Amino acid sequence: MTTLLELAERELTEAGERLAKTNQLITEAKAQREQLGTYRDEYVTRNQLILTSGMEVMDLLNYRAFLKNLDRAIIGQEQIVEGYSNLAKNHLALWQASQSKKRSYEVLIEREKLKMHHQELKREQKMMDEFSSNQKRFFPT
C-alpha cells in the first residue's frame, strides 16, 4: 500500500509541476499581450501628429498594414493565453484527481494501521486475561 501511496505522491508532484509551468506560461503570454497592446497604443499616439498634418498615400498604407499586423499579433497572443488557460484547467483537474487519489491511499493506510492497532490491543488483552486466569488457577486466593 505504501508503494501505491509513493506512486500517487509522485503523480501529484508531477501534476503540480505541470500546473505551475502552465501558469507560468499564462503569465508570460499575458505579459507579451500587454506589451503588444502598449506598443500599438504608443505607435498610434506617436503617429497621430503625422496623420493629422498629412501623410503620403504609401506611408498611410504602410501605417495601416503595420497596425493590422499588430492587431493580428494581439489577437494571436490572446488565443495563446486562452489555450494556456484551458490547458491549466485540465492540469488543475488532473492535480485535483491526483490529490484525491493520494488522500484515498492515506485513508486506507490509516485505517489499516488502526485495524492493526486494535488487533494488537485485543491480543494484549487476551494475553492479560489468560495470564490472570492462569494466576487464579495456580494461585487461588
Side-chain angles (χ1 to χ4, degrees), residues 3 23 30 53 59 66 83 105 111 118 125 141:
T3 303
N23 284 333
K30 284 181 177 179
S53 64
D59 291 337
F66 187 70
Y105 289 137
R111 284 182 187 163
H118 285 298
Q125 184 63 45
T141 50

Side-chain angles (χ1 to χ4, degrees), residues 47-83:
N47 288 295
Q48 199 65 36
L49 182 62
I50 298 171
L51 285 172
T52 56
S53 64
M55 184 182 268
E56 291 187 22
V57 174
M58 196 60 175
D59 291 337
L60 181 61
L61 290 175
N62 288 337
Y63 173 79
R64 285 185 174 172
F66 187 70
L67 278 181
K68 191 179 260 187
N69 285 337
L70 277 175
D71 289 339
R72 279 192 216 122
I74 292 168
I75 290 169
Q77 199 61 32
E78 287 173 356
Q79 290 171 344
I80 289 171
V81 169
E82 185 178 326

